[in-house]
Every structure is written in structure tokens, then in C-alpha cells.
Amino acid sequence: MTVSPAARRKARHYAMQALYQWSMTSAAINVIEAEFHSDNDMSKVDIAYFREILHGVPQRLTEVDEAYKGYLKEREQSELDPITQALLRMSTYELMSRIDVPYKVVINEGVSLSKKFGATDSHKFINGVLDKVAAEHRAVEVKASR
């Protein structure tokens, strides 16, 4: 069964919000996941993708954070606002773990969510960081598209 781009987009939307909640509350991932299922209409969401991101980021947190940390320019990771951090973690995880998803799609989705939820102009920062993560973790794919 093919998953629609809209269902995948909703999965990312909720995964970003759930990762934000996790970083703010330190609540258990399973509890946050259960809350999202009870508080939201998940009928049009790629639930498997939502679940993979929500569980995958915390499981590989050190590896994910290390993958983008070097591209933060003069910023420290602790200086990132929680939305930016959630988006960078989610998108970096996808770039590292989901090679079936084109890197441009991952970056565009991260940028789109940052325009909706992030601080003014945070999308430019996120785009720049994710471009560099993609160049490192998807080198063959990035090179082929240029």
C-alpha cells in the first residue's frame, strides 16, 4: 500500500510536535504517543512513520544531534529554540535513516514546518543546516541531483 504525501506530511507535523513535547516535558515517549492518538484525528496520518520518527529520534539522539551539531555556525545546541531543535532532530533522523525518502523532500518538509511553527526566518537556518547534513549523509544522492 502506497502512503500519500499528505499522510506522510501529517505524520511529520505530529512527530515534530510530539518531539517538542518530549523535549519540554521529558515525558515517556509511549505516553506522548498515546496522548497524540487520543487527542488528534489520526485517520489521515501515516501512523507507522509518525511512530518511527517519534521513537527513532530518542533512540539515536546522540548520533542525530552529532550529525547536525557541526553545522550550527556560532550557535550552541543549547541555544536552539525547542521547535528548531525538534525539526533538526526529526529531519536529520530522516536523512540518516530513511534513504527511501528523497533528501529534497526531507529538507522541504522541515523548512515548511519551520515556516508554520518556527521563529521568523528560522526556515533559512534550518534549510542551511539540513543542506549540509544531506551533503554529508546523502552525498551520492546530492551529487547526482546537482
Side-chain angles (χ1 to χ4, degrees):
M1 177 180 111
T2 308
V3 178
S4 76
R8 187 64 59 86
R9 191 169 296 118
K10 283 189 183 300
R12 285 187 185 93
H13 174 116
Y14 287 137
M16 185 273 300
Q17 290 179 318
L19 289 169
Y20 168 85
Q21 183 177 335
W22 173 68
S23 73
M24 298 303 289
T25 65
S26 300
I29 291 295
N30 289 338
V31 171
I32 293 170
E33 183 180 10
E35 287 174 5
F36 268 77
H37 282 283
S38 68
D39 295 348
N40 300 288
D41 175 8
M42 301 294 271
S43 63
K44 291 183 169 70
V45 176
D46 180 348
I47 291 175
Y49 207 74
F50 165 76
R51 186 167 212 285
E52 179 187 342
I53 292 170
L54 180 57
H55 288 266
V57 169
Q59 285 169 355
R60 297 179 63 192
L61 189 61
T62 303
E63 184 184 358
V64 167
D65 284 351
E66 286 297 318
Y68 71 81
K69 195 162 68 172
Y71 305 120
L72 297 179
K73 299 181 184 156
E74 310 84 44
R75 292 191 198 179
E76 289 297 316
Q77 191 161 354
S78 59
E79 297 172 18
L80 296 176
D81 67 89
I83 296 287
T84 297
Q85 187 173 55
L87 285 168
L88 286 175
R89 285 175 168 170
M90 176 180 78
S91 300
T92 299
Y93 173 84
E94 284 188 89
L95 288 169
M96 294 168 63
S97 305
R98 293 300 303 248
I99 59 167
D100 58 310
V101 179
Y103 82 95
K104 287 182 179 179
V105 170
V106 174
I107 293 172
N108 287 342
E109 292 288 320
V111 167
S112 176
L113 285 166
S114 71
K115 286 178 179 177
K116 186 172 183 176
F117 294 104
T120 308
D121 288 345
S122 67
H123 65 279
K124 295 175 186 173
F125 175 73
I126 286 173
N127 187 55
V129 173
L130 293 178
D131 268 344
K132 291 176 178 76
V133 173
E136 181 181 340
H137 289 273
R138 301 278 193 93
V140 172
E141 184 184 353
V142 170
K143 196 173 179 182
S145 75
R146 291 197 173 148

